[in-house]
Each structure stands twice: as C-alpha cells, then as structure tokens.
Amino acid sequence: MGYSKILRRLREGKTNYKKRSSMLMGRRDFVTVYISNENTMVQIHRPEMGGDKVLASAHSRSLISKGWKGSRKNIPAAYLTGYLAGKKALGHDSTEAIMYSGTRRYTDRMAAALKGVRDAGMKMPADDGAFPPDTRINGEHLKIKNDISQFKAQIDGGAI
C-alpha cells in the first residue's frame, strides 16, 4: 500500500477543489463573503493563472465612519457591505460575477451580501427567492435600527 499525498488546503478543510475547479472553468469574476464573530467582509475576485486577483473589497468596519449603530455582522450590515463592494467593483470594470462560498455554508447573511452586490448594479445569476425578504434587509426585526436608504445614498454619493 503506497502513500498518497493529500493537498494541504484540502486536509485543513479550507478548499473544496471540486467546487473551485468547476467555478474556475467559467472564467468569470466571483464574490466571496466571510462573516466573522464581529464583522462582515465581501470581496470580488478575478481568477488568474498566478492566483486570484482581488478587484474590490469591502469591510463592515467602514460602515462605522458613515454612522452605523449596532452589529456589523447582521443581515442589514451584510447587505450594505455587499452594496459597497459592488460599487467598488463597478469602478474596476467588473459587471458580472458568481457567488463562491467554498467550504462555508450558504446563509441568509451571505444571501444579503449577494443581494447588495446585485443591487449595486452587477449581474448575478440568482433567483429573487434566494434572498432574505426586504423587511429583514431593512432591519425592521432589530432593536437598534438604521436607515438603510440613507447609507445607500452615502455610498452612491461617492463617500466610498
């Protein structure tokens, strides 16, 4: 019985190579969403031979400077972070992308970030039923409420 080497990122549970190879075959830009214990980060990548190039990145910490109150990892914060990343990506001539979740489970917060990227003007192959309802995106279920339309106007106004 011989030894078969297992790739390090597969062994650590960081990369699903079957999902990644099928995603790279399309040669389209892709969106990744990472939700930590305190923040949300959305990045838009372009696959290249030397490695993936990050076209645009947005972090929920940037919402604080715009007057955000409350959690930075909830559904409205994920939506606005995705919206900000989508606006930045449009400035780098990226008009369409697909969602790549890797080994992470697809959640409502990921869906909200994806809807934010889509509402920013990028084309995304997703059904409207896959997104959380507008009442959740607007944060009507939260104790600390923020006006989502005001933050979108700040992002659209060039305060990126």
Side-chain angles (χ1 to χ4, degrees):
M1 180 185 276
Y3 175 76
S4 62
K5 184 177 179 181
I6 299 174
L7 297 172
R8 179 184 58 86
R9 292 188 62 86
L10 178 66
R11 187 175 59 239
E12 293 172 353
K14 291 183 178 180
T15 303
N16 182 345
Y17 283 103
K18 185 175 181 180
K19 186 186 271 189
R20 181 168 170 76
S21 66
S22 66
M23 185 256 322
L24 291 175
M25 291 295 220
R27 295 185 180 152
R28 294 184 357 198
D29 298 346
F30 60 96
V31 178
T32 59
V33 179
Y34 179 71
I35 299 169
S36 70
N37 287 335
E38 294 183 9
N39 295 300
T40 303
M41 184 173 63
V42 179
Q43 291 183 327
I44 296 157
H45 302 265
R46 177 166 290 153
E48 294 182 356
M49 289 300 290
D52 298 338
K53 180 181 175 187
V54 178
L55 298 177
S57 179
H59 202 279
S60 60
R61 279 191 306 243
S62 63
L63 297 176
I64 295 172
S65 63
K66 296 177 183 5
W68 184 260
K69 303 280 189 267
S71 175
R72 296 183 307 269
K73 66 175 186 173
N74 58 18
I75 291 176
Y79 173 78
L80 287 173
T81 306
Y83 189 79
L84 180 59
K87 287 294 184 181
K88 285 182 178 180
L90 288 173
H92 291 284
D93 297 328
S94 178
T95 58
E96 65 177 301
I98 58 173
M99 177 68 183
Y100 175 65
S101 61
T103 58
R104 294 185 292 273
R105 223 178 70 231
Y106 186 75
T107 63
D108 274 350
R109 290 182 285 181
M110 284 179 136
L114 184 64
K115 182 169 173 51
V117 172
R118 186 174 175 187
D119 288 351
M122 293 189 68
K123 296 177 189 157
M124 307 288 292
D127 185 29
D128 289 334
F131 300 129
D134 288 336
T135 57
R136 305 239 345 139
I137 287 179
N138 291 331
E140 295 172 10
H141 63 287
L142 299 172
K143 290 180 183 177
I144 301 173
K145 296 183 179 13
N146 291 295
D147 187 16
I148 302 300
S149 59
Q150 174 191 355
F151 287 99
K152 282 177 69 173
Q154 284 183 8
I155 293 169
D156 288 337
I160 298 175

